[in-house]
């Protein structure tokens, strides 16, 4: 969502917009939980409407978050040009592009681990809890 990047750059700062995104996403999750309450599910059109509203708010929160978290990760790498250092008697080339690639690979690895844990836990909840 380009608007969130504009808000971060021009008005609030990246950290405040990331916190806003977390708040928006939390609200969306609450709405999605409300959509699954049995008394709400009795009215199928009301439950579906609540689900759609929660989904749209979740999309907004995700857009606010993703537009600001990637630049935050990239700016953690302070290296701007290649350099050679010595580590344990060996010369090592430190390349900022490779370091940024590694940072994002670990970031997306962590996201995928969280996704797998969520999918496995939901199957467990469905089978044993209901």
């Amino acid at each position: 969502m380009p608007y969130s990047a504009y808000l971060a750059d021009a008005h609030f700062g990246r950290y405040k917009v990331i916190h806003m995104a977390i708040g928006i996403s939390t609200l969306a999750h609450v709405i999605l939980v409300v959509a699954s309450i049995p008394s709400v599910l009795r009215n199928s059109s009301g439950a579906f409407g609540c689900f759609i509203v929660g989904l749209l708010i979740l999309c907004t929160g995700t857009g606010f978050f993703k537009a600001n978290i990637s630049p935050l990760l990239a700016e953690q790498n302070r290296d701007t040009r290649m350099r050679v250092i010595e580590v344990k008697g060996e010369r090592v080339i430190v390349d900022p592009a490779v370091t940024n690639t590694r940072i994002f690979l670990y970031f997306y690895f962590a996201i995928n681990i969280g996704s797998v844990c969520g999918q496995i836990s939901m199957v467990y909840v469905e089978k044993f809890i209901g």
Side-chain angles (χ1 to χ4, degrees):
M1 177 175 256
Y3 185 69
S4 66
Y6 167 74
L7 285 176
D9 291 341
H11 295 287
F12 299 115
R14 187 175 300 135
Y15 298 109
K16 285 186 181 178
V17 173
I18 289 173
H19 281 92
M20 287 169 43
I22 291 169
I24 292 168
S25 296
T26 302
L27 173 67
H29 280 91
V30 168
I31 293 171
L32 290 173
V33 168
V34 168
S36 66
I37 294 174
S39 61
V40 176
L41 286 173
R42 286 190 196 104
N43 178 3
S44 62
S45 61
F48 183 69
C50 190
F51 172 74
I52 293 299
V53 167
L55 201 60
L56 290 174
I57 293 173
L58 185 62
C59 291
T60 303
T62 301
F64 269 60
F65 186 80
K66 286 191 176 235
N68 290 293
I69 202 69
S70 294
L72 181 70
L73 282 174
E75 76 181 8
Q76 300 304 309
N77 184 11
R78 299 279 184 213
D79 292 329
T80 57
R81 59 187 177 94
M82 275 201 252
R83 60 187 165 89
V84 178
I85 61 171
E86 191 169 323
V87 177
K88 296 181 184 177
E90 293 182 0
R91 292 176 54 164
V92 177
I93 300 172
V94 178
D95 185 0
V98 174
T99 304
N100 278 340
T101 300
R102 188 176 330 127
I103 289 169
F104 280 100
L105 285 175
Y106 281 124
F107 174 64
Y108 288 114
F109 177 72
I111 289 173
N112 287 327
I113 292 295
S115 174
V116 166
C117 290
Q119 290 177 12
I120 290 171
S121 66
M122 284 300 100
V123 171
Y124 173 82
V125 167
E126 180 186 17
K127 182 174 182 179
F128 294 111
I129 296 174

